[in-house]
Amino acid sequence: MRLRNFHSSYVRRSESGAVAISFVIISSLVLLCIVIGLDTGRLFLEQRRLQTVADNAAMEAVARSGSGGGGDAGALAQLAEESAARNGFVVGDRRSLQVERGSVSQQDGLRVFAADAEGGAVRVVARHEVRTSLLANLAALMPGSEVPAWTPLRAEAVASRGAFAAFSAGTRLLGLDTESSPLLGPLLGGLLGTHLDLDVLSPGGLLDVGLSLLELVEGMALVGVDLTAVGLDGVLQAGVTVAELLDVSVAVLQQRVESGELGSADLALLRDLQSAARNGSTELQQISLEQLLRLRNAEGEVPRGALDVDLRLGDLLGVALMAANRGNGLSLELGAGRVLNSLGSQADNIDSMGLVVRLGIIEPPQIAIGPAGRLQVPEGDRHWKTEVTSPQLSLVVGARLNLVLAELDLGLRVDAGSGKAVLESLQMGADGQQQASLLAKPALAAVHLGSLQSLQAPFYAGGSLDAAGIESAPIEPIAVRLLGSESTGSLVAVTIAASSVAGQGGDMVVRESDPQALFEGPPWPASPTTVTGASGDALGGLISSLLGNLDIRIHLLGGDRQGSCGLLGLGCVLDWVVNEVVLGVLDPVVNLLSALLAPLVTALGNLVVDPLLRLLGIQLGSMELQVLDVQMTEVELVL
């Protein structure tokens, strides 16, 4: 009995010991799980807090520094650190921030950040070393322990803010009124193929109204054009006429008037232009929005936000008219009495045929919309993300002169190449003001003096105009007939020819050293800014060089420069004798011709060529630049 009681007591004591041990083990495990859970939760919260710091720092650095190329790395780091400090993250004491400007691109369907001093994105990498855990810290105190007491945390954020500008280089064709130049009427009449009453161009502000590309696309439906099924690329590439573009503009503006947004705008101007474009005799080509606007980035995509940029209606229509006339040889009817009144006695020498003016548009200008900065990988002459060109054209001015003892057909031709302007940077100030920086390389040019017929040759070749065709067209010298007539020939003939070419660095790559123009807005300046090239090769200098390079040859008995020796073959012999032996005797004749030509050529350049070039947006040796609008999208995290 006593043995049984002892056994029972032993079992109870053993069970109590086992329960105590189990309780200790279970309690320890529970405590360990709690510690691990607390440590894991603490590390998760620290990581989340660190990510919030990085996100806010990146977004605030972009928002406060602006976007669009450039930007001081030190200033970006300061903005990021200030943002982090407001979120309880002070650099130092195992905390650090790394701030970098760059750009984001698509690679294999994924967004990738690349460092780029001209980029519009900012990457912030935040690092913080925190205590690993309570147990790890206790273990780290033991001798010989290699358990780390600190755990490094890292958070990365990339923020971007799209910034887009619309700008032009000499496209304000419809921004001028009749007082600006007596040549505006004939020029617009030639472009439209009809007469246009220029009273409609009196300043009224309608042509300064801004239209966004999105409004133009949506306006297609207002005139019965359904482009919803073709997507944005189809809309940009769809061919329309100038009249249809005017239809869309009228429909959009009429809708604004009815909604009260525009007030009581008089749309008579646009309706007159509509009528002129529909009834004109000139065969205008179809154009597309993509021909008028340079939109696509280096990847061939239209950047988001570009559709919201406002375009000046007058600039858009001016570019459209030149694009629709590409390849046409325009004949402008200019009366001698109207244009050359200031020539004085020289005007009396111009034949009743008056002036002959021919205009060939080789490449029309464009309005550019896009971001600022350089391309990471340049494409040929394209080194910048957004570029725009001024018109490339050929302008011929000629007149038939009847002098006392001689008559001649005078031809003066100016071949103007495309100038280029690029969007260097866009910045936003703390007060919301924006600044746009443009760089410009003014147009190349060449001036030729020769026979009117040969200078007009490209315009009679079926309207096939391009730079190579015009350059390769032979230029014949001016034939001056002395003591004779066109039908009977002359005893003495004089030929005159000259050329002058303006260089501009030998290429069309725009560099940081090229002339710069700064614009601040909004509101953006209503008038363009003129930027002059370093070389200053203006039209006046070219004509002076032209007159200094006159090549005057004298021929007797019908000898000429094409190998014909005239009567009995003696013309060539006498021609050599005259030019090599007795040329000095005829110096007074040469000097007289030079004295007669110099004021006439100069006057034609100043009164006809220069005003027409300006109306078309070209100033030789300089460029007219204008920022039309700048749009900045919301700051967003992209990585």
Side-chain angles (χ1 to χ4, degrees), residues 57-70:
M59 294 180 69
E60 191 165 338
V62 171
R64 294 177 60 190
S65 68
S67 178

PDB file of all heavy atoms in Angstrom, residues 57-70:
ATOM      1  N   ALA A  57      11.246  62.275 -52.047  1.00  0.00           N
ATOM      2  CA  ALA A  57      12.437  63.050 -52.409  1.00  0.00           C
ATOM      3  C   ALA A  57      12.590  63.148 -53.922  1.00  0.00           C
ATOM      4  O   ALA A  57      12.903  64.212 -54.462  1.00  0.00           O
ATOM      5  CB  ALA A  57      13.676  62.418 -51.786  1.00  0.00           C
ATOM      6  N   ALA A  58      12.359  62.029 -54.626  1.00  0.00           N
ATOM      7  CA  ALA A  58      12.492  62.044 -56.088  1.00  0.00           C
ATOM      8  C   ALA A  58      11.429  62.936 -56.720  1.00  0.00           C
ATOM      9  O   ALA A  58      11.731  63.748 -57.614  1.00  0.00           O
ATOM     10  CB  ALA A  58      12.373  60.621 -56.633  1.00  0.00           C
ATOM     11  N   MET A  59      10.189  62.831 -56.264  1.00  0.00           N
ATOM     12  CA  MET A  59       9.111  63.623 -56.846  1.00  0.00           C
ATOM     13  C   MET A  59       9.296  65.111 -56.553  1.00  0.00           C
ATOM     14  O   MET A  59       9.079  65.964 -57.422  1.00  0.00           O
ATOM     15  CB  MET A  59       7.764  63.135 -56.311  1.00  0.00           C
ATOM     16  CG  MET A  59       7.408  61.720 -56.751  1.00  0.00           C
ATOM     17  SD  MET A  59       5.823  61.145 -56.105  1.00  0.00           S
ATOM     18  CE  MET A  59       4.693  62.185 -57.008  1.00  0.00           C
ATOM     19  N   GLU A  60       9.731  65.431 -55.338  1.00  0.00           N
ATOM     20  CA  GLU A  60       9.910  66.848 -55.006  1.00  0.00           C
ATOM     21  C   GLU A  60      11.108  67.442 -55.736  1.00  0.00           C
ATOM     22  O   GLU A  60      11.082  68.606 -56.134  1.00  0.00           O
ATOM     23  CB  GLU A  60      10.076  67.005 -53.498  1.00  0.00           C
ATOM     24  CG  GLU A  60       9.996  68.452 -53.053  1.00  0.00           C
ATOM     25  CD  GLU A  60       9.787  68.598 -51.556  1.00  0.00           C
ATOM     26  OE1 GLU A  60       9.303  67.636 -50.927  1.00  0.00           O
ATOM     27  OE2 GLU A  60      10.110  69.684 -51.029  1.00  0.00           O
ATOM     28  N   ALA A  61      12.163  66.652 -55.924  1.00  0.00           N
ATOM     29  CA  ALA A  61      13.324  67.157 -56.673  1.00  0.00           C
ATOM     30  C   ALA A  61      12.941  67.496 -58.108  1.00  0.00           C
ATOM     31  O   ALA A  61      13.366  68.506 -58.662  1.00  0.00           O
ATOM     32  CB  ALA A  61      14.451  66.122 -56.645  1.00  0.00           C
ATOM     33  N   VAL A  62      12.092  66.643 -58.713  1.00  0.00           N
ATOM     34  CA  VAL A  62      11.640  66.925 -60.082  1.00  0.00           C
ATOM     35  C   VAL A  62      10.714  68.132 -60.102  1.00  0.00           C
ATOM     36  O   VAL A  62      10.842  69.032 -60.939  1.00  0.00           O
ATOM     37  CB  VAL A  62      10.922  65.689 -60.671  1.00  0.00           C
ATOM     38  CG1 VAL A  62      10.252  66.044 -61.993  1.00  0.00           C
ATOM     39  CG2 VAL A  62      11.903  64.556 -60.880  1.00  0.00           C
ATOM     40  N   ALA A  63       9.765  68.180 -59.164  1.00  0.00           N
ATOM     41  CA  ALA A  63       8.763  69.246 -59.160  1.00  0.00           C
ATOM     42  C   ALA A  63       9.385  70.615 -58.932  1.00  0.00           C
ATOM     43  O   ALA A  63       9.002  71.605 -59.565  1.00  0.00           O
ATOM     44  CB  ALA A  63       7.710  68.968 -58.094  1.00  0.00           C
ATOM     45  N   ARG A  64      10.375  70.682 -58.042  1.00  0.00           N
ATOM     46  CA  ARG A  64      10.950  71.982 -57.696  1.00  0.00           C
ATOM     47  C   ARG A  64      12.096  72.395 -58.596  1.00  0.00           C
ATOM     48  O   ARG A  64      12.439  73.564 -58.664  1.00  0.00           O
ATOM     49  CB  ARG A  64      11.426  71.960 -56.245  1.00  0.00           C
ATOM     50  CG  ARG A  64      10.291  71.814 -55.240  1.00  0.00           C
ATOM     51  CD  ARG A  64      10.816  71.736 -53.829  1.00  0.00           C
ATOM     52  NE  ARG A  64      11.575  72.951 -53.468  1.00  0.00           N
ATOM     53  CZ  ARG A  64      12.308  73.071 -52.361  1.00  0.00           C
ATOM     54  NH1 ARG A  64      12.374  72.033 -51.515  1.00  0.00           N
ATOM     55  NH2 ARG A  64      12.964  74.175 -52.106  1.00  0.00           N
ATOM     56  N   SER A  65      12.694  71.443 -59.317  1.00  0.00           N
ATOM     57  CA  SER A  65      13.820  71.789 -60.193  1.00  0.00           C
ATOM     58  C   SER A  65      13.392  71.993 -61.624  1.00  0.00           C
ATOM     59  O   SER A  65      14.158  72.456 -62.452  1.00  0.00           O
ATOM     60  CB  SER A  65      14.895  70.699 -60.151  1.00  0.00           C
ATOM     61  OG  SER A  65      14.426  69.508 -60.755  1.00  0.00           O
ATOM     62  N   GLY A  66      12.138  71.636 -61.969  1.00  0.00           N
ATOM     63  CA  GLY A  66      11.707  71.710 -63.361  1.00  0.00           C
ATOM     64  C   GLY A  66      12.117  70.456 -64.086  1.00  0.00           C
ATOM     65  O   GLY A  66      12.517  69.455 -63.495  1.00  0.00           O
ATOM     66  N   SER A  67      12.018  70.512 -65.430  1.00  0.00           N
ATOM     67  CA  SER A  67      12.332  69.340 -66.224  1.00  0.00           C
ATOM     68  C   SER A  67      12.767  69.796 -67.588  1.00  0.00           C
ATOM     69  O   SER A  67      12.522  70.914 -67.993  1.00  0.00           O
ATOM     70  CB  SER A  67      11.101  68.439 -66.339  1.00  0.00           C
ATOM     71  OG  SER A  67      11.377  67.325 -67.127  1.00  0.00           O
ATOM     72  N   GLY A  68      13.453  68.906 -68.299  1.00  0.00           N
ATOM     73  CA  GLY A  68      13.757  69.203 -69.682  1.00  0.00           C
ATOM     74  C   GLY A  68      15.199  69.458 -69.968  1.00  0.00           C
ATOM     75  O   GLY A  68      15.533  70.281 -70.796  1.00  0.00           O
ATOM     76  N   GLY A  69      16.104  68.773 -69.310  1.00  0.00           N
ATOM     77  CA  GLY A  69      17.500  68.899 -69.676  1.00  0.00           C
ATOM     78  C   GLY A  69      18.231  69.860 -68.766  1.00  0.00           C
ATOM     79  O   GLY A  69      17.713  70.845 -68.259  1.00  0.00           O
ATOM     80  N   GLY A  70      19.502  69.558 -68.527  1.00  0.00           N
ATOM     81  CA  GLY A  70      20.299  70.409 -67.672  1.00  0.00           C
ATOM     82  C   GLY A  70      19.931  70.199 -66.218  1.00  0.00           C
ATOM     83  O   GLY A  70      19.228  69.285 -65.823  1.00  0.00           O
TER      84      GLY A  70
END
